[in-house]
Amino acid sequence: MEIIFLGTGGGRINLINQTRATGGFIISGTKNIHIDPGPGALVQLRRLGLSPLKTDIIVVTHSHIDHISDAGVLIEGMSSYGLKKKGILIGGPDSLEGTTDGQSISEFHLSRVETIVNAKPGESFEFEGGKFTFTKGVHDSFPAFGFVLEMDGKRIGHTGDTEYYDGIEDVFEGCDLLVLNTIKPEKDRYHGHLTAEEASKLIGRLQPKLAILTHMGMKMINYPPEKKAKEIEEETGVMTIAATDGMKILSDQF
Ligand SMILES: [Zn+2]
């Protein structure tokens, strides 16, 4: 199994400037899983020589445009150019049904997917070769989620976009790898995201084999992320990597 980071940028300013790419990440093992296909997901996939025709599962953790914009395009790949009803789409009600401030996936694209899963925090979804358990996200007025994925003998936790909340340590207990959306180094007036300080607290308590920071905003990018990862590693004793665009991590690293 390997994890491939298509885009590691987060936040509104980075989104438009593309200082770091957006497009989410791929977990490629028994199944090929694309998490949060934001702007450029298809282009970044192709740039790395990967094919969207091989995608088995698409996960949209919430309907902010940096997580959902290319979901329709990726569904057209997953469903063999939109010609077959194929694949699994996992999203919340905001992505599947639409909300006033979110952006839902079109009826046409939903109709091309074989299995649609409405992800509810605390619930699980089993597929051939693995299992997702969805975790709560505290992010915006509509629901956002993260997950714990069990596949190919590994347990991978992904926070999605969320604030630090009571009980967050419990839901990611026992993960081999933890992928954290870490948009900023420290607290500011914008809520709804993990700061690096909180990421460090979570990593320290959970002690995964490896922690990866991604979805970084301009303040993190300018810090820079490698320096922040090193600081977290020193604070927690856990190997911590700041993801870079196009980075691949093999499962024997965690
Ligand atoms: Zn968001």
Side-chain angles (χ1 to χ4, degrees):
M1 181 164 57
E2 60 183 14
I3 321 287
I4 305 144
F5 289 85
L6 301 179
T8 58
R12 284 163 202 276
I13 296 169
N14 177 78
L15 165 70
I16 297 303
N17 291 331
Q18 293 284 299
T19 308
R20 284 207 175 205
T22 48
F25 64 99
I26 309 281
I27 303 173
S28 180
T30 296
K31 294 281 188 241
N32 289 318
I33 305 171
H34 193 146
I35 322 298
D36 284 348
L42 174 63
V43 175
Q44 300 303 336
L45 261 181
R46 285 302 190 187
R47 194 175 67 84
L48 294 170
L50 302 169
S51 172
L53 298 165
K54 293 189 174 148
T55 304
D56 301 300
I57 302 175
I58 296 170
V59 181
V60 177
T61 61
H62 64 288
S63 58
H64 281 153
I65 199 160
D66 52 335
H67 298 255
I68 198 174
S69 72
D70 282 14
V73 176
L74 265 292
I75 289 170
E76 294 203 17
M78 182 168 75
S79 60
S80 296
Y81 308 97
L83 299 172
K84 292 180 188 163
K85 214 171 162 64
K86 254 179 92 188
I88 299 169
L89 171 67
I90 300 174
D94 55 324
S95 308
L96 304 177
E97 295 155 18
T99 62
T100 48
D101 46 4
Q103 176 192 352
S104 64
I105 295 163
S106 77
E107 286 295 331
F108 168 72
H109 291 113
L110 292 174
S111 79
R112 300 292 82 209
V113 176
E114 191 177 21
T115 306
I116 295 176
V117 179
N118 191 339
K120 296 198 180 76
E123 292 189 359
S124 293
F125 169 70
E126 281 186 49
F127 58 90
E128 208 186 321
K131 179 181 163 186
F132 279 99
T133 302
F134 305 112
T135 63
K136 184 173 86 169
V138 179
H139 184 51
D140 202 334
S141 55
F142 52 82
F145 65 92
F147 59 78
V148 173
L149 168 68
E150 291 161 81
M151 187 170 80
D152 298 344
K154 299 287 185 185
R155 200 174 159 85
I156 299 171
H158 174 49
T159 59
D161 278 4
T162 184
E163 290 178 8
Y164 203 102
Y165 56 83
D166 271 353
I168 192 169
E169 300 95 351
D170 303 331
V171 298
F172 293 107
E173 186 78 57
C175 286
D176 300 295
L177 168 69
L178 196 58
V179 179
L180 305 103
N181 285 1
T182 313
I183 211 157
K184 52 194 167 185
E186 54 214 14
K187 267 203 176 5
D188 57 21
R189 64 199 168 96
Y190 302 104
H191 302 293
H193 289 279
L194 276 184
T195 64
E197 200 182 330
E198 291 164 333
S200 180
K201 182 171 145 190
L202 188 56
I203 294 164
R205 294 209 175 155
L206 289 168
Q207 294 288 310
K209 293 185 188 116
L210 176 66
I212 301 181
L213 314 179
T214 189
H215 203 56
M216 295 170 282
M218 290 312 299
K219 280 186 184 156
M220 270 295 278
I221 293 167
N222 292 329
Y223 192 79
E226 295 67 31
K227 185 178 167 210
K228 189 43 96 181
K230 188 107 190 76
E231 287 171 11
I232 294 176
E233 194 168 302
E234 279 161 12
E235 284 159 19
T236 63
V238 174
M239 184 190 276
T240 304
I241 298 173
T244 52
D245 297 344
M247 182 180 88
K248 282 186 193 177
I249 293 283
L250 297 171
S251 58
D252 57 11
Q253 290 174 260
F254 58 85

